Amino acid sequence: MIAKPADAKHEVAIVGLGYVGIPLALGFVNAGCRVLGFDADGGRVLELQNGHAPLAHLPPDAIAKALQTKRLEFSADKSRLSECEAVIICVPTPLRKHQDPDLSHILDAGEEIAPHLRRGMLVSLESSTYPGTTREELRAVLEKGSGLKAGTDFALVFSPEREDPGNTQSVIGDMPKVIGGLTPACLERGQDLYGRVIKHLVPVKDCDTAEAVKLTENIFRFINIALVNELKRIYSSMDIDIWEVIDAAKTKPFGFMPFYPGPGVGGHCIPIDPYYLTWKAKEFNYDTRFIELAGQINRSMPYYVVNHLLEAMNAAGRSLRGARVLVLGLAYKPGISDDRESPSYHIMDLLAKKGAEVEYYDEHVPKIPPGHGHWAGRSSMLWSERNLSDCAAAIVCTAHRGVHYEQLADLVPLVIDACNVVPKNRKAHVVAA
Ligand SMILES: NC(=O)c1ccc[n+]([C@@H]2O[C@H](COP(=O)([O-])OP(=O)(O)OC[C@H]3O[C@@H](n4cnc5c(N)ncnc54)[C@H](O)[C@@H]3O)[C@@H](O)[C@H]2O)c1
C-alpha cells in the first residue's frame, strides 16, 4: 500500500460542495472521520461555515449538527488541502454548447490540488465522466503541478457517486460503491478510505472501468426513459394508459424493471452523462446510436406536451395566445429543488413563444435561480383560489408531493398531466401527456 502521510489533520477533503459533495462530507463525519470541505465558491463556503444547508432536501440543521462534532471544517483556502490524507473531487461535469464534455471543473480542481499534494496522499475523482479522464487528464494535471508520480508517490482512484437526492431512505453507507484504481496499490488506498464509510465496496479492474460503470448506469436509465416515453405516445393513440400498463407489467417478478414517462429528462446526470460516451466513442470510430435515438425521443417530449395543450385548447375553441398557463414543477424530479436541465423550462419557452402568459408553481423553487435566461428572478405563483381561477390551463411537469391536485383540477379548466397525479373525476378536463 502507498503509505499515508503521517501527520494529516483530516482524513479527507471534499473538493466541490454541491449535491454530491455535501452528503458525502456528512457521511464521512458521521462515520467518525475528520473532514475538510473546500469549494471554489467563497459564498457557499461562508454559508456552510455558518451552518446553513444550501440543499433544500437536507434537514435544515444537518450542517450545524455536523459542525458541532468538531470533525467538520469548511474552507476556501486551497493550501489547506495539504492537511488531508485524501482528497475527493465532486465538481460538475456539464456539456459544452455542442454537447462535448466540459472537463474544465475537474482540471481546475486538479490544478488547485496539485501544488498541495504530498507524498502518500490519495486523490479520488467522483464526478461522472468518460473512461480515461482520471488516467489521462486528471493524472497529467496532478503530476505536472506536484512533480509527484501517480501510483507510486500518491494514489489515484475513480469512484462514481450514486447520490439519490431527495430520497430519505438512501443512506450513503448502505449504497454499494464502485471503485477502480490507477494501480492495485491505488485501489487498496481507495478501499481503505471508503471502507470507513461504505459497507459494500465493489472494486473493478481500473479507473476506466469504474468510469464506464457510472456511464452505463445513467445510459441505461436515459434509454429506458426514452423507451417508455415512446410507448406512451404509441399507447395513447390506441387509448391505452401507459401508467396502467407499467403498473401491471411490474408485477412480473423477473426480467422487467419499471421506468416512468414524463415531460422529458432533467438533472445534472441523465441528460448529460450519455453524451460523454458519445464524444469519447468517436475517438474509436463508433457512433452511439442508442444514445442518439433516446436523446431525440427525450428531447421531443416538451413539444409533445405542449402540443397536447394546443390541441385541447383548440378543441375548446380557445387560443394559447394571451392565455395564462401555469407550469407545475420546475425541479427535474419530485421532492427536490434541483432545476438543472429541467424540461419545464423548455416547456415554458415553447409556451412563451406561442404568446401564452406563463406562470409557474414550485414550493421547492420559490425563485428561479440565475442560469435560466430571462426566467431567472421570476417567483413561484402564490397558491390561491383566485390565482388558480385566473389560469386557462395548467401543465403538471413534476409530481411533487403536497400539491393540492384536487383543488387544481377544480379551479383550472384544462390540465395537461405529464406525471399521472391529477384526479380525473373533478371539474377540469384532464389530458394525459
Ligand atoms: N447531483 C446528483 O444527483 C449527482 C449524482 C451522481 C453523480 N453526480 C455527479 O457528481 C458531480 C458533481 O455534481 P453535483 O450535482 O454535486 O454538482 P453541484 O453543482 O451541485 O456542486 C458542485 C460544486 O463544485 C464547486 N466547484 C466547481 N468547480 C470547482 C473547483 N474547481 N474547485 C472547487 N469547487 C468547485 C461548485 O462551486 C459547486 O459548489 C457531477 O459530475 C455529477 O454528474 C451528481
Side-chain angles (χ1 to χ4, degrees):
M1 186 148 89
I2 299 166
K4 297 174 198 169
D7 53 348
K9 274 197 201 151
H10 310 270
E11 273 96 343
V12 62
I14 310 284
V15 171
L17 300 167
Y19 281 90
V20 166
I22 291 175
L24 191 65
L26 295 177
F28 274 101
V29 171
N30 291 339
C33 298
R34 287 155 299 151
V35 179
L36 180 72
F38 170 78
D39 199 285
D41 177 349
R44 171 149 292 203
V45 171
L46 201 61
E47 202 183 345
L48 287 160
Q49 282 171 334
N50 288 328
H52 297 304
L55 307 177
H57 61 275
L58 288 182
D61 60 350
I63 302 293
K65 273 190 178 162
L67 286 171
Q68 277 165 15
T69 65
K70 306 277 182 218
R71 292 194 299 275
L72 178 62
E73 265 187 78
F74 295 107
S75 175
D77 175 2
K78 53 192 171 225
S79 71
R80 294 200 53 200
L81 296 173
S82 64
E83 298 170 5
C84 304
E85 243 172 60
V87 181
I88 300 180
I89 303 172
C90 309
V91 296
T93 41
L95 288 170
R96 294 190 191 281
K97 203 172 172 190
H98 297 290
Q99 296 204 313
D100 47 336
D102 176 0
L103 290 192
S104 60
H105 298 281
I106 293 183
L107 301 179
D108 288 352
E111 280 175 11
E112 287 153 13
I113 296 164
H116 311 291
L117 199 56
R118 295 191 299 145
R119 243 167 236 288
M121 276 169 69
L122 162 71
V123 178
S124 171
L125 178 61
E126 294 218 4
S127 305
S128 314
T129 184
Y130 60 77
T133 307
T134 311
R135 179 177 49 80
E136 293 168 343
E137 313 290 345
L138 180 60
R139 172 194 192 167
V141 175
L142 292 173
E143 289 187 342
K144 187 169 171 227
S146 67
L148 299 174
K149 195 159 169 35
T152 45
D153 296 332
F154 68 96
L156 184 59
V157 300
F158 181 82
S159 181
E161 184 52 54
R162 283 175 169 163
E163 172 66 14
D164 186 7
N167 178 358
T168 49
Q169 305 304 312
S170 171
V171 176
I172 276 194
D174 294 341
M175 183 73 77
K177 191 156 177 52
V178 172
I179 180 166
L182 188 70
T183 63
C186 292
L187 175 62
E188 210 182 331
R189 271 296 299 281
Q191 286 178 291
D192 174 69
L193 173 73
Y194 285 110
R196 298 173 211 181
V197 179
I198 311 286
K199 288 186 196 128
H200 182 196
L201 288 173
V202 185
V204 293
K205 185 178 145 228
D206 50 26
C207 298
D208 292 38
T209 309
E211 287 159 340
V213 170
K214 177 67 190 178
L215 291 193
T216 303
E217 289 170 7
N218 285 356
I219 291 167
F220 177 79
R221 194 160 171 74
F222 185 65
I223 287 175
N224 278 288
I225 292 172
L227 175 66
V228 288
N229 278 335
E230 181 167 75
L231 292 178
K232 171 171 79 168
R233 300 169 82 137
I234 298 168
Y235 290 154
S236 133
S237 64
M238 298 173 179
D239 205 19
I240 295 168
D241 178 354
I242 181 80
W243 298 90
E244 191 180 351
V245 170
I246 296 169
D247 274 352
K250 75 180 185 199
T251 60
K252 184 180 178 187
F254 60 94
F256 183 83
M257 181 188 275
F259 286 86
Y260 297 97
V265 286
H268 182 49
C269 299
I270 307 299
I272 291 176
D273 298 354
Y275 295 103
Y276 269 64
L277 186 66
T278 299
W279 182 84
K280 187 68 178 177
K282 285 194 175 46
E283 191 183 314
F284 297 83
N285 215 12
Y286 275 101
D287 292 318
T288 51
R289 288 178 292 166
F290 263 117
I291 292 173
E292 300 292 351
L293 178 60
Q296 284 165 20
I297 295 171
N298 289 332
R299 280 196 305 274
S300 74
M301 295 316 289
Y303 296 94
Y304 175 79
V305 171
V306 171
N307 216 30
H308 271 65
L309 174 68
L310 274 170
E311 279 179 11
M313 290 195 74
N314 192 41
R318 295 210 54 182
S319 165
L320 187 52
R321 179 161 298 280
R324 179 170 290 187
V325 180
L326 176 64
V327 171
L328 277 106
L330 292 192
Y332 78 91
K333 72 172 197 176
I336 62 165
S337 60
D338 191 350
D339 62 349
R340 290 176 292 178
E341 314 296 326
S342 168
S344 303
Y345 288 111
H346 192 181
I347 288 173
M348 284 160 60
D349 285 340
L350 293 173
L351 295 172
K353 250 191 199 162
K354 295 198 182 299
E357 202 185 303
V358 183
E359 294 279 356
Y360 84 92
Y361 176 78
D362 192 327
E363 272 193 340
H364 298 266
V365 188
K367 194 170 180 182
I368 298 181
H372 294 290
H374 61 102
W375 297 115
R378 288 276 297 265
S379 297
S380 174
M381 188 187 87
L382 187 73
W383 188 274
S384 72
E385 273 189 24
R386 185 167 168 194
N387 285 343
L388 289 168
S389 305
D390 277 350
C391 295
I395 304 182
V396 180
C397 295
T398 315
H400 281 312
R401 284 190 182 175
V403 176
H404 201 334
Y405 294 112
E406 289 81 8
Q407 192 181 30
L408 177 80
D410 280 341
L411 297 173
V412 180
L414 171 63
V415 181
I416 309 297
D417 184 6
C419 306
N420 197 36
V421 287
V422 182
K424 296 179 182 68
N425 57 351
R426 315 295 280 221
K427 288 186 196 149
H429 174 39
V430 178
V431 180

